[in-house]
Amino acid sequence: MMDSCNCIEPQWPADELLMKYQYISDFFIALAYFSIPLELIYFVKKSAVFPYRWVLVQFGAFIVLCGATHLINLWTFNVHTRTVAIVMTTAKVLTAAVSCATALMLVHIIPDLLSVKTRELFLKNKAAELDREMGIIRTQEETGRHVRMLTHEIRSTLNRHTILKTTLVELGRTLGLEECALWMPTRSGLELQLSYTLRHQNPVGFTVPIQSPAINQVFSTNRAVKISPNSPVARLRPASGKYMLGEVVAVRVPLLHLSNFQIYDWPELTTKRYALMVLMLPSDSARQWHVHELELVEVVADQVAVALSHAAILEESMRARDLLMEQNVALDLARREAETAVRARNDFLAVMNHEMRTPMHAIIALSSLLQETDLTPEQRLMVETILKSSNLLATLINDVLDLSRLEDGSLELDTATFNLHALFKEVLNLIRPVASVKRLFVTLSLSSDLPEYAIGDEKRLMQIILNIVGNAVKFSKEGSISISAVMAKPDSLRDPRSPDFFPIPGDNSFYMRVQVKDTGIGISQQDIPKLFTKFAENQSATSRNPGGSGLGLAICKRFVNLMEGNIWVESEGVGKGSTAIFYVKLGYTARLNESRLPHMRLPAKLGQTSFSGLKVLVIDDNGVSRTATRGLLMHLGCDVTTVSSGEDCLQVITKEHKVVFMDVSLPGSDSYNVARLLQEKFPKRHEKPLIVALTGHTDKSAKESLLRVGMDGVILKPVSVEKMRVALSELLEHKKVLHDT
């Protein structure tokens, strides 16, 4: 059989050249097949996913078998043995088996391959979408950069004209516009007026009706709107030589005025007044508006609205500041004029006070001296009338000065500890002689819970009570007058007649209620409100009992207010009497003996009526006043020496002079220097004379200044015989005197 196989001849014709080419081709094909598995081995090592690794192994085996088949086929071109044929057949069978196995495996892998392809397409689409989003982000970043740049340029100033002009210039440069314009509403609100343009191709001031479809369309939304290039607000560029006009958009710009902002409320969120901004792309170009450009325009319009509102607020604040500065200048001028007027008034009152008190001092002093001589009844009546009129004039002078200081706020209460019960008894002793002449019965009632000592202004409180009781005596012809004082209970302080009175009791203070009731002529209801008005008196009282300035109750009311109290008058009518009631706030104090009351005013002992042999020196530049003071002192038994100047005083005074009465005309005069020189001249305390100032100044600061320079007492002019006697007694006993009434 072997011999028969070796004798088999080829089935195709013997073509030497063709066979040679096939032989070479099979060799190179086999070589190529064997090179592929080397690459597959690399991928098999890199692949760790089943079944792809197994497929690669099968595919490698298929390639190897195909290469082996082509390689074995090289021996079939010549006479070959049966062994070659078997090997050839085996290789082809194995190749077919591997090919089928690979094909069956691909049936399971193809869907996976398709899904991979699908994912690949999905990823490609996602990548493209990300690219678009990145493009949008870059566009937005670019837009944001332009917006920030435009906002910075727009808000770099708060001038409205600069803001609007800068907006047009920056938009034109950023967006490459051919023209940009701003239409502002007129005052009537019925038209839009061309106010600003970029290229200045049209005259400013041109107007169009505001009620047009294009304008209404823009004003109805806050978005940028494309409008026709032929719209009235868009016809701002010459059409000659233009084949195609560029696209036009318009956007509204809200105009927020200061009137939109309320002081105690939120600002209005909407407004009916808008400006119109028109933007035009270049003509004869295919350029169109993009979304990001429209957004840029909308944002810039909002920023312009905010900047304009800030500018409007600034302009209004600048106007308010200018107005406030003008008002401040006017107020400062008025204040200076008022201060000048107050100083002039105070200077005038100070001068007039001294000038009026000096002659009053002479009149009262000489009249009181005359009263103590032997006079006929008719002469005594005339002297008493002179003294009464003089005292009334002195009271009027005090009232005018007190009212002046009350009105300018310079009056302060002189708070000290005093005997409250003794004050009422002193008032009673002063009133009873006058009341007895008119046959009036005066009673005093003090409640048991009323403290004996209190802290307050004794002088002002006595002035209030004396004024009210004096009015009761003045306007009563017969009957009685009752004075009562109680400690007010907290629930009785509030009075419906005085809703503005808010008492504030404290742990260290109390309110005292004083009531003065008379059976006099009474007051009509319509005259009661006028009682506490200065220079006003009820007409019935004036006609029946003339006299008085109409200042007493007005001053009393102000004193009561200073003491945190309240005062009013009640009357059932004319002829039915009246009742005056007032509350004042006083302070509690522990019950102290006399040695612990250095500031309490003590009544002088009146046992000493003559001061025989007491050497006294009087200094007064006014001859009449000097004579009156000398007469008072000589009447009391003093040995008096008078001089007219401080220089004469320093030359005349000796150690025998125990008291020096010095007239003080004005604060800051040479009286202060004289007091200082007297202290230097008599350094030893027992040799130094007691220096007493005779002054017409009632203010507290002037008295304190006199005491600071070394004076031992102050007596307020005018001075009567009795007042001088009390002052000398107090001076010699306590080495101090302070008589300012």
mmCIF file of all heavy atoms in Angstrom, residues 161-201:
data_model
loop_
_atom_site.group_PDB
_atom_site.id
_atom_site.type_symbol
_atom_site.label_atom_id
_atom_site.label_comp_id
_atom_site.label_asym_id
_atom_site.label_seq_id
_atom_site.Cartn_x
_atom_site.Cartn_y
_atom_site.Cartn_z
ATOM 1 N N HIS A 161 -25.521 110.767 35.262
ATOM 2 C CA HIS A 161 -25.135 110.948 33.855
ATOM 3 C C HIS A 161 -23.901 110.106 33.525
ATOM 4 O O HIS A 161 -23.838 109.478 32.457
ATOM 5 C CB HIS A 161 -24.869 112.434 33.574
ATOM 6 C CG HIS A 161 -26.040 113.310 33.871
ATOM 7 N ND1 HIS A 161 -27.168 113.339 33.079
ATOM 8 C CD2 HIS A 161 -26.281 114.165 34.893
ATOM 9 C CE1 HIS A 161 -28.047 114.199 33.580
ATOM 10 N NE2 HIS A 161 -27.532 114.710 34.685
ATOM 11 N N THR A 162 -22.948 110.069 34.433
ATOM 12 C CA THR A 162 -21.756 109.258 34.198
ATOM 13 C C THR A 162 -22.100 107.775 34.159
ATOM 14 O O THR A 162 -21.554 107.013 33.354
ATOM 15 C CB THR A 162 -20.720 109.537 35.300
ATOM 16 O OG1 THR A 162 -20.468 110.940 35.363
ATOM 17 C CG2 THR A 162 -19.433 108.795 35.031
ATOM 18 N N ILE A 163 -23.006 107.339 35.018
ATOM 19 C CA ILE A 163 -23.420 105.925 35.045
ATOM 20 C C ILE A 163 -24.008 105.523 33.703
ATOM 21 O O ILE A 163 -23.636 104.498 33.109
ATOM 22 C CB ILE A 163 -24.441 105.698 36.177
ATOM 23 C CG1 ILE A 163 -23.745 105.798 37.539
ATOM 24 C CG2 ILE A 163 -25.107 104.333 36.038
ATOM 25 C CD1 ILE A 163 -24.714 105.792 38.699
ATOM 26 N N LEU A 164 -24.933 106.305 33.194
ATOM 27 C CA LEU A 164 -25.619 105.941 31.951
ATOM 28 C C LEU A 164 -24.662 105.999 30.765
ATOM 29 O O LEU A 164 -24.687 105.117 29.894
ATOM 30 C CB LEU A 164 -26.808 106.869 31.736
ATOM 31 C CG LEU A 164 -27.907 106.768 32.818
ATOM 32 C CD1 LEU A 164 -28.983 107.814 32.594
ATOM 33 C CD2 LEU A 164 -28.512 105.380 32.832
ATOM 34 N N LYS A 165 -23.834 107.016 30.716
ATOM 35 C CA LYS A 165 -22.906 107.129 29.597
ATOM 36 C C LYS A 165 -21.888 105.985 29.632
ATOM 37 O O LYS A 165 -21.566 105.383 28.590
ATOM 38 C CB LYS A 165 -22.183 108.481 29.660
ATOM 39 C CG LYS A 165 -21.446 108.810 28.375
ATOM 40 C CD LYS A 165 -22.416 108.923 27.209
ATOM 41 C CE LYS A 165 -21.682 109.190 25.902
ATOM 42 N NZ LYS A 165 -22.609 109.213 24.755
ATOM 43 N N THR A 166 -21.385 105.650 30.822
ATOM 44 C CA THR A 166 -20.433 104.543 30.953
ATOM 45 C C THR A 166 -21.070 103.231 30.531
ATOM 46 O O THR A 166 -20.423 102.376 29.900
ATOM 47 C CB THR A 166 -19.936 104.453 32.404
ATOM 48 O OG1 THR A 166 -19.332 105.702 32.770
ATOM 49 C CG2 THR A 166 -18.928 103.336 32.563
ATOM 50 N N THR A 167 -22.342 103.039 30.864
ATOM 51 C CA THR A 167 -23.045 101.807 30.495
ATOM 52 C C THR A 167 -23.076 101.627 28.985
ATOM 53 O O THR A 167 -22.782 100.545 28.451
ATOM 54 C CB THR A 167 -24.479 101.837 31.048
ATOM 55 O OG1 THR A 167 -24.422 101.962 32.472
ATOM 56 C CG2 THR A 167 -25.224 100.571 30.680
ATOM 57 N N LEU A 168 -23.429 102.677 28.261
ATOM 58 C CA LEU A 168 -23.509 102.573 26.800
ATOM 59 C C LEU A 168 -22.138 102.300 26.194
ATOM 60 O O LEU A 168 -21.997 101.455 25.294
ATOM 61 C CB LEU A 168 -24.100 103.858 26.227
ATOM 62 C CG LEU A 168 -25.518 104.235 26.696
ATOM 63 C CD1 LEU A 168 -26.017 105.459 25.939
ATOM 64 C CD2 LEU A 168 -26.486 103.079 26.514
ATOM 65 N N VAL A 169 -21.118 102.981 26.700
ATOM 66 C CA VAL A 169 -19.774 102.818 26.138
ATOM 67 C C VAL A 169 -19.270 101.396 26.377
ATOM 68 O O VAL A 169 -18.746 100.734 25.468
ATOM 69 C CB VAL A 169 -18.814 103.860 26.740
ATOM 70 C CG1 VAL A 169 -17.376 103.561 26.328
ATOM 71 C CG2 VAL A 169 -19.209 105.260 26.300
ATOM 72 N N GLU A 170 -19.430 100.887 27.595
ATOM 73 C CA GLU A 170 -18.913 99.556 27.924
ATOM 74 C C GLU A 170 -19.696 98.450 27.206
ATOM 75 O O GLU A 170 -19.115 97.458 26.760
ATOM 76 C CB GLU A 170 -18.954 99.338 29.439
ATOM 77 C CG GLU A 170 -18.007 100.228 30.222
ATOM 78 C CD GLU A 170 -16.565 100.006 29.828
ATOM 79 O OE1 GLU A 170 -16.226 98.859 29.507
ATOM 80 O OE2 GLU A 170 -15.780 100.970 29.816
ATOM 81 N N LEU A 171 -21.017 98.603 27.090
ATOM 82 C CA LEU A 171 -21.797 97.617 26.342
ATOM 83 C C LEU A 171 -21.404 97.618 24.869
ATOM 84 O O LEU A 171 -21.287 96.561 24.236
ATOM 85 C CB LEU A 171 -23.294 97.903 26.494
ATOM 86 C CG LEU A 171 -23.956 97.419 27.785
ATOM 87 C CD1 LEU A 171 -25.406 97.872 27.833
ATOM 88 C CD2 LEU A 171 -23.887 95.901 27.896
ATOM 89 N N GLY A 172 -21.220 98.811 24.300
ATOM 90 C CA GLY A 172 -20.816 98.891 22.905
ATOM 91 C C GLY A 172 -19.470 98.253 22.666
ATOM 92 O O GLY A 172 -19.256 97.562 21.652
ATOM 93 N N ARG A 173 -18.536 98.432 23.581
ATOM 94 C CA ARG A 173 -17.210 97.844 23.416
ATOM 95 C C ARG A 173 -17.240 96.336 23.639
ATOM 96 O O ARG A 173 -16.599 95.578 22.918
ATOM 97 C CB ARG A 173 -16.242 98.503 24.404
ATOM 98 C CG ARG A 173 -14.812 98.014 24.295
ATOM 99 C CD ARG A 173 -13.913 98.790 25.245
ATOM 100 N NE ARG A 173 -14.340 98.617 26.623
ATOM 101 C CZ ARG A 173 -13.999 97.579 27.382
ATOM 102 N NH1 ARG A 173 -13.244 96.602 26.876
ATOM 103 N NH2 ARG A 173 -14.404 97.492 28.626
ATOM 104 N N THR A 174 -17.984 95.871 24.638
ATOM 105 C CA THR A 174 -18.010 94.446 24.963
ATOM 106 C C THR A 174 -18.749 93.634 23.912
ATOM 107 O O THR A 174 -18.302 92.542 23.517
ATOM 108 C CB THR A 174 -18.664 94.236 26.342
ATOM 109 O OG1 THR A 174 -17.940 94.998 27.320
ATOM 110 C CG2 THR A 174 -18.652 92.770 26.742
ATOM 111 N N LEU A 175 -19.876 94.122 23.435
ATOM 112 C CA LEU A 175 -20.714 93.370 22.503
ATOM 113 C C LEU A 175 -20.487 93.761 21.050
ATOM 114 O O LEU A 175 -21.103 93.167 20.158
ATOM 115 C CB LEU A 175 -22.195 93.574 22.865
ATOM 116 C CG LEU A 175 -22.603 93.111 24.279
ATOM 117 C CD1 LEU A 175 -24.068 93.444 24.534
ATOM 118 C CD2 LEU A 175 -22.355 91.615 24.443
ATOM 119 N N GLY A 176 -19.617 94.722 20.806
ATOM 120 C CA GLY A 176 -19.364 95.135 19.433
ATOM 121 C C GLY A 176 -20.601 95.710 18.775
ATOM 122 O O GLY A 176 -20.957 95.302 17.659
ATOM 123 N N LEU A 177 -21.265 96.648 19.409
ATOM 124 C CA LEU A 177 -22.520 97.202 18.908
ATOM 125 C C LEU A 177 -22.251 98.324 17.918
ATOM 126 O O LEU A 177 -21.251 99.050 18.000
ATOM 127 C CB LEU A 177 -23.361 97.736 20.074
ATOM 128 C CG LEU A 177 -23.719 96.720 21.172
ATOM 129 C CD1 LEU A 177 -24.494 97.411 22.282
ATOM 130 C CD2 LEU A 177 -24.531 95.567 20.595
ATOM 131 N N GLU A 178 -23.188 98.446 16.992
ATOM 132 C CA GLU A 178 -23.135 99.580 16.067
ATOM 133 C C GLU A 178 -23.709 100.828 16.716
ATOM 134 O O GLU A 178 -23.205 101.935 16.488
ATOM 135 C CB GLU A 178 -23.915 99.251 14.795
ATOM 136 C CG GLU A 178 -23.894 100.387 13.768
ATOM 137 C CD GLU A 178 -24.656 100.039 12.508
ATOM 138 O OE1 GLU A 178 -25.184 98.911 12.422
ATOM 139 O OE2 GLU A 178 -24.730 100.888 11.611
ATOM 140 N N GLU A 179 -24.750 100.633 17.503
ATOM 141 C CA GLU A 179 -25.375 101.766 18.182
ATOM 142 C C GLU A 179 -26.043 101.256 19.451
ATOM 143 O O GLU A 179 -26.481 100.105 19.540
ATOM 144 C CB GLU A 179 -26.413 102.451 17.282
ATOM 145 C CG GLU A 179 -27.086 103.680 17.898
ATOM 146 C CD GLU A 179 -26.107 104.784 18.267
ATOM 147 O OE1 GLU A 179 -25.426 104.612 19.302
ATOM 148 O OE2 GLU A 179 -26.011 105.781 17.530
ATOM 149 N N CYS A 180 -26.072 102.116 20.464
ATOM 150 C CA CYS A 180 -26.723 101.802 21.742
ATOM 151 C C CYS A 180 -27.314 103.104 22.262
ATOM 152 O O CYS A 180 -26.627 104.146 22.247
ATOM 153 C CB CYS A 180 -25.717 101.217 22.732
ATOM 154 S SG CYS A 180 -26.464 100.675 24.283
ATOM 155 N N ALA A 181 -28.550 103.060 22.701
ATOM 156 C CA ALA A 181 -29.238 104.290 23.102
ATOM 157 C C ALA A 181 -30.071 104.026 24.347
ATOM 158 O O ALA A 181 -30.455 102.889 24.644
ATOM 159 C CB ALA A 181 -30.124 104.806 21.979
ATOM 160 N N LEU A 182 -30.339 105.113 25.075
ATOM 161 C CA LEU A 182 -31.165 105.033 26.282
ATOM 162 C C LEU A 182 -32.269 106.077 26.179
ATOM 163 O O LEU A 182 -32.002 107.268 25.986
ATOM 164 C CB LEU A 182 -30.318 105.285 27.529
ATOM 165 C CG LEU A 182 -30.996 104.981 28.858
ATOM 166 C CD1 LEU A 182 -31.193 103.474 29.014
ATOM 167 C CD2 LEU A 182 -30.193 105.515 30.022
ATOM 168 N N TRP A 183 -33.488 105.599 26.318
ATOM 169 C CA TRP A 183 -34.671 106.453 26.270
ATOM 170 C C TRP A 183 -35.202 106.616 27.687
ATOM 171 O O TRP A 183 -35.467 105.631 28.378
ATOM 172 C CB TRP A 183 -35.757 105.841 25.377
ATOM 173 C CG TRP A 183 -35.359 105.679 23.938
ATOM 174 C CD1 TRP A 183 -34.581 104.706 23.412
ATOM 175 C CD2 TRP A 183 -35.745 106.518 22.853
ATOM 176 N NE1 TRP A 183 -34.433 104.864 22.064
ATOM 177 C CE2 TRP A 183 -35.153 105.984 21.679
ATOM 178 C CE3 TRP A 183 -36.521 107.663 22.729
ATOM 179 C CZ2 TRP A 183 -35.321 106.547 20.429
ATOM 180 C CZ3 TRP A 183 -36.693 108.239 21.486
ATOM 181 C CH2 TRP A 183 -36.100 107.691 20.349
ATOM 182 N N MET A 184 -35.361 107.869 28.125
ATOM 183 C CA MET A 184 -35.840 108.160 29.475
ATOM 184 C C MET A 184 -37.262 108.697 29.401
ATOM 185 O O MET A 184 -37.617 109.423 28.460
ATOM 186 C CB MET A 184 -34.940 109.199 30.161
ATOM 187 C CG MET A 184 -33.484 108.791 30.260
ATOM 188 S SD MET A 184 -33.214 107.417 31.389
ATOM 189 C CE MET A 184 -33.550 108.242 32.940
ATOM 190 N N PRO A 185 -38.107 108.363 30.397
ATOM 191 C CA PRO A 185 -39.480 108.886 30.388
ATOM 192 C C PRO A 185 -39.487 110.382 30.685
ATOM 193 O O PRO A 185 -38.672 110.888 31.460
ATOM 194 C CB PRO A 185 -40.163 108.095 31.503
ATOM 195 C CG PRO A 185 -39.061 107.680 32.413
ATOM 196 C CD PRO A 185 -37.862 107.473 31.540
ATOM 197 N N THR A 186 -40.406 111.079 30.057
ATOM 198 C CA THR A 186 -40.567 112.505 30.324
ATOM 199 C C THR A 186 -41.308 112.702 31.644
ATOM 200 O O THR A 186 -41.798 111.753 32.259
ATOM 201 C CB THR A 186 -41.325 113.177 29.181
ATOM 202 O OG1 THR A 186 -42.609 112.540 29.043
ATOM 203 C CG2 THR A 186 -40.556 113.036 27.868
ATOM 204 N N ARG A 187 -41.415 113.972 32.093
ATOM 205 C CA ARG A 187 -42.094 114.257 33.358
ATOM 206 C C ARG A 187 -43.555 113.849 33.318
ATOM 207 O O ARG A 187 -44.115 113.414 34.324
ATOM 208 C CB ARG A 187 -41.972 115.741 33.700
ATOM 209 C CG ARG A 187 -40.569 116.163 34.086
ATOM 210 C CD ARG A 187 -40.542 117.606 34.538
ATOM 211 N NE ARG A 187 -39.211 117.996 34.984
ATOM 212 C CZ ARG A 187 -38.759 117.831 36.221
ATOM 213 N NH1 ARG A 187 -39.542 117.273 37.118
ATOM 214 N NH2 ARG A 187 -37.547 118.216 36.556
ATOM 215 N N SER A 188 -44.174 113.995 32.154
ATOM 216 C CA SER A 188 -45.588 113.625 32.044
ATOM 217 C C SER A 188 -45.784 112.116 32.053
ATOM 218 O O SER A 188 -46.871 111.629 32.362
ATOM 219 C CB SER A 188 -46.178 114.217 30.760
ATOM 220 O OG SER A 188 -45.531 113.653 29.621
ATOM 221 N N GLY A 189 -44.719 111.360 31.721
ATOM 222 C CA GLY A 189 -44.832 109.914 31.684
ATOM 223 C C GLY A 189 -45.531 109.386 30.449
ATOM 224 O O GLY A 189 -45.784 108.179 30.362
ATOM 225 N N LEU A 190 -45.840 110.249 29.461
ATOM 226 C CA LEU A 190 -46.550 109.827 28.253
ATOM 227 C C LEU A 190 -45.617 109.585 27.082
ATOM 228 O O LEU A 190 -46.043 109.037 26.053
ATOM 229 C CB LEU A 190 -47.589 110.890 27.864
ATOM 230 C CG LEU A 190 -48.662 111.190 28.928
ATOM 231 C CD1 LEU A 190 -49.582 112.308 28.450
ATOM 232 C CD2 LEU A 190 -49.455 109.933 29.246
ATOM 233 N N GLU A 191 -44.357 109.997 27.195
ATOM 234 C CA GLU A 191 -43.414 109.861 26.089
ATOM 235 C C GLU A 191 -42.065 109.389 26.623
ATOM 236 O O GLU A 191 -41.756 109.541 27.806
ATOM 237 C CB GLU A 191 -43.237 111.196 25.365
ATOM 238 C CG GLU A 191 -44.477 111.687 24.639
ATOM 239 C CD GLU A 191 -44.250 113.039 23.990
ATOM 240 O OE1 GLU A 191 -43.586 113.884 24.615
ATOM 241 O OE2 GLU A 191 -44.737 113.241 22.873
ATOM 242 N N LEU A 192 -41.288 108.808 25.685
ATOM 243 C CA LEU A 192 -39.895 108.480 25.960
ATOM 244 C C LEU A 192 -39.013 109.439 25.187
ATOM 245 O O LEU A 192 -39.234 109.666 23.987
ATOM 246 C CB LEU A 192 -39.586 107.038 25.569
ATOM 247 C CG LEU A 192 -40.194 105.929 26.435
ATOM 248 C CD1 LEU A 192 -39.822 104.558 25.872
ATOM 249 C CD2 LEU A 192 -39.733 106.044 27.881
ATOM 250 N N GLN A 193 -38.015 109.963 25.862
ATOM 251 C CA GLN A 193 -37.127 110.950 25.249
ATOM 252 C C GLN A 193 -35.738 110.356 25.084
ATOM 253 O O GLN A 193 -35.196 109.741 26.008
ATOM 254 C CB GLN A 193 -37.055 112.203 26.119
ATOM 255 C CG GLN A 193 -36.210 113.322 25.511
ATOM 256 C CD GLN A 193 -36.195 114.547 26.405
ATOM 257 O OE1 GLN A 193 -36.298 114.431 27.621
ATOM 258 N NE2 GLN A 193 -36.087 115.711 25.812
ATOM 259 N N LEU A 194 -35.158 110.522 23.908
ATOM 260 C CA LEU A 194 -33.808 110.045 23.647
ATOM 261 C C LEU A 194 -32.834 110.892 24.472
ATOM 262 O O LEU A 194 -32.687 112.095 24.237
ATOM 263 C CB LEU A 194 -33.484 110.149 22.156
ATOM 264 C CG LEU A 194 -32.112 109.629 21.740
ATOM 265 C CD1 LEU A 194 -31.972 108.145 22.046
ATOM 266 C CD2 LEU A 194 -31.879 109.881 20.247
ATOM 267 N N SER A 195 -32.178 110.229 25.429
ATOM 268 C CA SER A 195 -31.327 110.970 26.363
ATOM 269 C C SER A 195 -29.846 110.716 26.148
ATOM 270 O O SER A 195 -29.034 111.623 26.336
ATOM 271 C CB SER A 195 -31.705 110.609 27.807
ATOM 272 O OG SER A 195 -33.064 110.883 28.060
ATOM 273 N N TYR A 196 -29.474 109.475 25.774
ATOM 274 C CA TYR A 196 -28.062 109.135 25.617
ATOM 275 C C TYR A 196 -27.918 108.203 24.418
ATOM 276 O O TYR A 196 -28.721 107.288 24.231
ATOM 277 C CB TYR A 196 -27.513 108.435 26.860
ATOM 278 C CG TYR A 196 -27.641 109.247 28.122
ATOM 279 C CD1 TYR A 196 -28.765 109.116 28.931
ATOM 280 C CD2 TYR A 196 -26.643 110.137 28.496
ATOM 281 C CE1 TYR A 196 -28.893 109.854 30.097
ATOM 282 C CE2 TYR A 196 -26.765 110.881 29.656
ATOM 283 C CZ TYR A 196 -27.890 110.739 30.451
ATOM 284 O OH TYR A 196 -28.009 111.476 31.595
ATOM 285 N N THR A 197 -26.875 108.441 23.617
ATOM 286 C CA THR A 197 -26.556 107.555 22.497
ATOM 287 C C THR A 197 -25.061 107.273 22.506
ATOM 288 O O THR A 197 -24.267 108.042 23.066
ATOM 289 C CB THR A 197 -26.950 108.185 21.146
ATOM 290 O OG1 THR A 197 -26.256 109.431 20.987
ATOM 291 C CG2 THR A 197 -28.452 108.413 21.071
ATOM 292 N N LEU A 198 -24.690 106.158 21.850
ATOM 293 C CA LEU A 198 -23.291 105.748 21.833
ATOM 294 C C LEU A 198 -22.510 106.494 20.757
ATOM 295 O O LEU A 198 -21.414 106.986 20.998
ATOM 296 C CB LEU A 198 -23.204 104.235 21.619
ATOM 297 C CG LEU A 198 -21.801 103.638 21.528
ATOM 298 C CD1 LEU A 198 -21.030 103.887 22.819
ATOM 299 C CD2 LEU A 198 -21.882 102.144 21.219
ATOM 300 N N ARG A 199 -23.074 106.554 19.557
ATOM 301 C CA ARG A 199 -22.355 107.135 18.418
ATOM 302 C C ARG A 199 -22.725 108.580 18.144
ATOM 303 O O ARG A 199 -22.166 109.190 17.231
ATOM 304 C CB ARG A 199 -22.620 106.303 17.151
ATOM 305 C CG ARG A 199 -22.375 104.797 17.310
ATOM 306 C CD ARG A 199 -20.970 104.481 17.670
ATOM 307 N NE ARG A 199 -20.752 103.029 17.801
ATOM 308 C CZ ARG A 199 -19.674 102.492 18.311
ATOM 309 N NH1 ARG A 199 -18.698 103.281 18.736
ATOM 310 N NH2 ARG A 199 -19.544 101.180 18.418
ATOM 311 N N HIS A 200 -23.703 109.096 18.845
ATOM 312 C CA HIS A 200 -24.156 110.484 18.636
ATOM 313 C C HIS A 200 -24.618 110.716 17.204
ATOM 314 O O HIS A 200 -24.353 111.771 16.615
ATOM 315 C CB HIS A 200 -23.042 111.480 18.981
ATOM 316 C CG HIS A 200 -22.472 111.295 20.356
ATOM 317 N ND1 HIS A 200 -23.166 111.607 21.514
ATOM 318 C CD2 HIS A 200 -21.274 110.774 20.765
ATOM 319 C CE1 HIS A 200 -22.417 111.317 22.558
ATOM 320 N NE2 HIS A 200 -21.258 110.799 22.136
ATOM 321 N N GLN A 201 -25.321 109.717 16.680
ATOM 322 C CA GLN A 201 -25.808 109.865 15.305
ATOM 323 C C GLN A 201 -27.162 110.570 15.253
ATOM 324 O O GLN A 201 -27.609 110.945 14.179
ATOM 325 C CB GLN A 201 -25.925 108.484 14.643
ATOM 326 C CG GLN A 201 -24.588 107.771 14.503
ATOM 327 C CD GLN A 201 -24.734 106.384 13.926
ATOM 328 O OE1 GLN A 201 -25.842 105.882 13.793
ATOM 329 N NE2 GLN A 201 -23.615 105.757 13.568
#
